[in-house]
Amino acid sequence: MSGRDQIPLLDVRNLTKYFAVRGGLLRRVVAQVRAVDGVSLSIGKGRTYGLVGESGCGKSTLGRAILRLHEPTSGEVLLDGHDILKLRRSELIDRRRRMQVIFQDPFASLSPRRTVAQIIREPLDVHRIGTAAEREERVIALLDDVGMGAEIRDRYPHEFSGGQRQRIGIARALALEPDFIVADEPVSALDVSVQSQVLNLIAGLKKTRGIAFLFISHDLAVIQHVSDEIGVMYLGRLVEHALVDDLYAAPKHPYTKALMSAIPIPDPKTKRSRIILKGDVPSPMNPPSGCPFHTRCPDVMEICRSVVPATINVGRKDLPHHVSCHLYS
Amino acid sequence: MEILQYTVRKLISGIPLVLGVTLISFLLMVYFGPDKTYELLGKNPTAQEIAEVRTQLGYDQPFLVRYVDYLRELVTLEFGNSDSTGEDVASLLARTIPISLALTGPGFVLGNLLGVLLALFAAFYRSTWVDKAIMASAVVGMSISFLIVIIAFQIIFASSYGLGWFPVRGWSVHSFGDYLSYVAVPTMAMVFVALGYNTRFYRSVLVEEMTRDHVRTARAFGVPPAKLFYKNILKNSMIPIITRVVFSIPLVIISGSLLIESYFGIPGVGKITYDAIISGDQPVLKAVVGLTAILFVLAQLLTDILYRAVDPRISLK
Amino acid sequence: MSAVAIPAVRRESLWSKAAWKLARDRTGMIALAFVLLYMLVAVGVTAGWWAADWSEVRGGKWEAMSAAHWFGTNLIGQDIFARAVYSTKTAFEVGLVVAVLATVIGAALGAVAGFFNGSWIDEVLLWLMGVLDSIPFYLFVAAIVFAMQDNPYAMHIAMISTFWTSVGRLIRGEVIKLRGLEYVEAAHAISVPEFVIIIRHILPNTTHILLVQATIMFVSAIKSEVILSFLGLGVKDGMSWGLMIAESSQEVMAGFFNNFLAASVLMFGLVMAFNMFSDALQDALDPRKVG
Amino acid sequence: MQADTQPLLSVRDLVIEFTTENGVVRAADGISFDVHENETLGIVGESGCGKTVTGLSILGLIPSPPGRVAGGSIRFMGRELVGLPDSEMRNIRGRDISMIFQEPMTALNPVFTVGNQMTDVLRRHRGLTRRQARDAAIEMLAKVGIPVPAKRIDEYPHQLSGGMRQRVMIAMALSCDPKLLIADEPTTALDVTTQAQVLEQIAGLQSEFKMAVVLITHDLGIVAETCRRAIVMYCGRIVENAAIERLFEAPRHPYAKGLLESIPRLRRERLDELPIIPGRVPNLLHLPPGCRFAARCPRADALCREQSPALVPAGPHGDFIACHHPHPGQQAEPAA
């Protein structure tokens, strides 16, 4: 684990994002949705942090808050040790070159009336990188990097399939040569046979360019393939974090266990006991007291109902495995 | 209790709209409007006479005072007397509004009912010749000016050159039979003009509802077409339908009847509004504008309450 | 590796796709031909090629149709055909001025409201739209006519001030929708300045709404002009179908229909053609149109 | 052996066409399969392969226009369903054959209560009184694991969570004791933990109600865990029809094999590169003349590019395959 003691590329500390729900005649704040509630994580250079959780757990909001696409409520986001949340808008522009994003919906993430070349060139234009001719060359090179030919440069997004659009979106994200990319469910809208193509592309970029990823997904199988370490989110909180092999070999948190056992396995011979959770995820507007998972937890204890569990390391010092659960304290 | 609270809140939030409407109309009609001083004076008036008349008309007051006076008139419903006839404006309105309602009511109701009915036919036989014929007729209907329809219908149904079944113009209603004969031609004209627009609108609303997932679900459980239309389509389309119907009420009462009443010489609100426009009768115009604004606020309140009644997802908050 | 089997047509933008679809719509094309024919008539009037003598008295009272006077003459012996043709120019002038300006104003204010959704700017603009929609139309026109002291453009201004609100509301809604889309977020992520995002990524994707709305307002303007002119609130100098109908409303009682029919039929033709063209345009531009 | 008994549902040479602006598209082309009593049949494939329209066509629910059944036959308990008048079809829908849909958020009517919608079905098909229907509905809701059903029955769909709504759909679908349930991606819109709950529910109810299930899904994992037999579709055609063990153990069709290998799954050892199927699905408007998979197939030759393979029996156990050069399949057949 090289670089463990150095400053990580990205260090997120105690990040929260609340959305205000307004109501009444004077539009007063009547409730807070705690989309992200005190999340800390760090990502080293060239590493991929997989963030997994079910819909509404706040994983996409977390990704956007890190990029300041949603302004966080509180916390710190340190890029190379500098807090980007303290930057003014104008300073942020420069920092944005180093952090990019890939979106989920390939049909909504490309401007419909602009050509492929215009879309990929836009970041270069905005940041005034190179001459016009150099930018044109860059576009061709970027298309090549994502496995597409130069001949598509003057076409429009609606002429492409979901997988091809996702490649174009990746080329746009690569244009500024970022150190860090937030990939928000980049394959979940794609057909299974295309998912693997795009996953291979992302894994390759990570290897050849040393880009760090925050890879957000609801699918543990997808996330296993691309990640070095994995964080599991539930109701706006990180409940478990470990290196990928550790987590899959020995999940600790009852929620992680349930999540893993719920995945259908495409092999009729594997028969296993499945943990079926009770009930539904509570509303983040009105989260349960104590441990957020206690309403559905099969191992719930008295203490879980009132006390929020602290995050502790149950792994080795050099191979940390964090979990927030009273079972381990 | 919830409804009452909501009503009060909604009425309060309608105040800016009433203020806006009255302010703009007041600015245009009264402040920048024609100076009536000399109409009231004889030839060669003295400076003192001029000043007296201006005081009497309130022209010497600052703008704000005059506007607040107007608002006070609106709240107390005391608009003074008409410039041209001298009649008390409040009683003028009380006399003419019922006539306008009686005149436009049948056409408005029929226009919407027939519109929904035709739209149902078109939507049910979507993409067949029935649908195409109905929708083509709707475009033709939409392309004929209201004015032309009124004149043509008068010629065809009322004049000696046509069928001559109904009175050509006027409104001397003493019995229900009289009422029917006077209301017939205006009603036909209104229905004809509104039908094209209504049919198109309702068809698009119905078609949108027909393609929803829950309609497919209901079909998958063997719900027959009649019940499907009532339970899964009509009730779900009520929100746009209510919006359209309720919000056209204020306009139908004033604007819709203006042309008809002035053409047929029927003494309703539209007619007195038209006369007031032509003669610059400000007390009447101020009253009509203010009341329309209030009607709009009430319409908004009514739609919100009706929404709540048809769609459980909407709460009065 | 995925450079396989890309469908035949190359460089097909959404515009060329819509144009292609429109060109294949037979009713739409026929309607467009009619509209263009009317436009040619209007251009000819403006250029003085024909109908320049619309106000001259060239015959007797109420002459029947003849080779000299195709639609006969009116009460004082003016040629009805020339007057009807001349009115085409008036209609186009009113329609174009109102449609273009109301669309531009509606697009601009609607975009501003949508972009500042939730702030006081949005609230004020929404309030303004609500207010303008709540003033009875004829009264509003009359008020502007009064206030502007018989300015010949009072009617145009009145129509523009009330028509833009419908465009404004539509564009506001669309902008709010587009702002939430991921490609706008992507633009934010690469630090594209806000105003460039509006100009480059948001407004171009509302143009299909604007085009269709402009055609709808063109038709409304022509129809309103006729009624306003009839009521004496519209065209003052010149000639229009509304003034012809006003003239004819006395004549029809005396059994002379030429004036009425000429104005009605010509107006109906233009409005009908425009309505059909508008529908075809909407079909061609609608991104989610199926079946 | 299944072949001895009369199948519950028998689909033969089904063709479904849609009229689009750019021409007529065959969304399903020559579909043939049988469903036997108590059997769970999976239909798998990627989006646009025709699996959903095939499911809809059984109940005569193809949206028309623009779609229509252009040929073939669908026999249910010996009765031909293609061309059956709508009035007779209505007696089958919801009573003999039920269907549940993908989107629980929109599949229920938002302006009526859950109970209202459920009792409608019960009163129509089982002729119950209002009171009896309500009791039966509450009982069904309890069976699908809805807590406090007597209270939930008077709630509107928007007051329920996605998983809850899907259970209501299932309760409604099973309330008239159907012989066949068609489930179109019933858990795709749900979270994994909820999906596990719902799938467990369906499996449990299937054995209780003794019905056949056609499960339409893109998820091979779900098929492996719930079905006995599965059909793999590609581009409007069936490419393979095999019992689950044989399909997953030794797929014969190269597409089925590629699909199985390329899906991201939990693995003990992480791979450097996931296996993929190169290229992409052809456009249904511009289909190649031969096998539709030929352009992406590692085994394709000139024959494949010219001639479309027919769906033919493969092996002694009622499997079918449409391929000129199939993989050998399972060598040693397991003892039945």
Side-chain angles (χ1 to χ4, degrees), chain B residues 213 216-217 219 221 231 236, chain D residues 93 106-107 109 112 116 120:
Chain B
D213 282 356
R216 188 178 63 180
T217 307
R219 294 221 305 135
F221 283 96
K231 273 195 92 162
N236 291 275
Chain D
R93 291 178 186 151
T106 52
N109 189 345
F112 287 99
N116 186 312
D120 255 12

Side-chain angles (χ1 to χ4, degrees), chain C residues 38-291:
Chain C
Y38 270 97
M39 206 194 283
L40 181 71
V41 170
V43 168
V45 172
T46 317
W49 296 340
W50 45 66
D53 54 352
W54 63 273
S55 60
E56 285 166 29
V57 176
R58 296 196 303 156
K61 174 187 178 184
W62 291 349
E63 280 183 24
M65 294 190 192
S66 66
H69 305 292
W70 289 5
F71 289 166
T73 60
N74 69 357
L75 182 64
I76 56 168
Q78 294 162 315
D79 183 66
I80 291 175
F81 180 70
R83 290 164 81 80
V85 165
Y86 184 86
S87 300
T88 310
K89 187 208 96 175
T90 311
F92 259 91
E93 182 195 286
V94 173
L96 277 179
V97 169
V98 171
V100 169
L101 290 178
T103 308
V104 169
I105 295 173
L109 294 183
V112 168
F115 204 80
F116 294 103
N117 175 229
S119 78
W120 65 270
I121 299 175
D122 185 28
E123 297 283 330
V124 167
L125 284 170
L126 273 179
W127 167 80
L128 185 63
M129 293 183 214
V131 166
L132 290 176
D133 286 347
S134 307
I135 303 177
F137 180 58
Y138 299 120
L139 270 179
F140 190 67
V141 178
I144 288 192
V145 172
F146 283 146
M148 295 192 59
Q149 312 276 339
D150 292 333
N151 182 314
Y153 285 101
M155 175 182 69
H156 300 64
I157 290 169
M159 284 195 212
I160 293 166
S161 343
T162 47
F163 284 7
W164 72 269
T165 57
S166 58
V167 187
R169 277 181 211 281
L170 282 172
I171 295 300
R172 174 180 176 272
E174 189 70 9
V175 166
I176 291 172
K177 191 187 99 193
L178 292 173
R179 269 186 71 199
L181 286 188
E182 289 181 338
Y183 70 81
V184 175
E185 261 189 301
H188 277 130
I190 53 176
S191 295
V192 181
E194 294 283 347
F195 78 94
V196 179
I197 292 182
I198 302 185
I199 304 279
R200 195 186 282 167
H201 295 290
I202 292 181
L203 282 183
N205 293 305
T206 60
T207 38
H208 61 286
I209 299 176
L210 295 180
L211 272 176
V212 171
Q213 285 302 307
T215 59
I216 291 173
M217 283 189 298
F218 187 97
V219 168
S220 308
I222 292 176
K223 293 174 77 174
S224 301
E225 181 273 320
V226 166
I227 291 178
L228 289 172
S229 296
F230 173 80
L231 292 173
L233 299 168
V235 173
K236 295 278 174 3
D237 318 311
M239 186 35 60
S240 89
W241 292 324
L243 289 178
M244 288 176 70
I245 292 172
E247 229 173 62
S248 75
S249 65
Q250 300 309 314
E251 298 174 343
V252 292
M253 286 298 120
F256 182 76
F257 301 109
N258 286 17
N259 220 354
F260 174 67
L261 286 176
S264 306
V265 169
L266 274 180
M267 179 190 169
F268 170 73
L270 177 59
V271 172
M272 178 84 188
F274 228 99
N275 271 334
M276 280 161 57
F277 174 64
S278 175
D279 283 355
L281 194 64
Q282 193 160 12
D283 281 351
L285 290 171
D286 188 350
R288 61 191 179 100
K289 186 89 185 178
V290 206

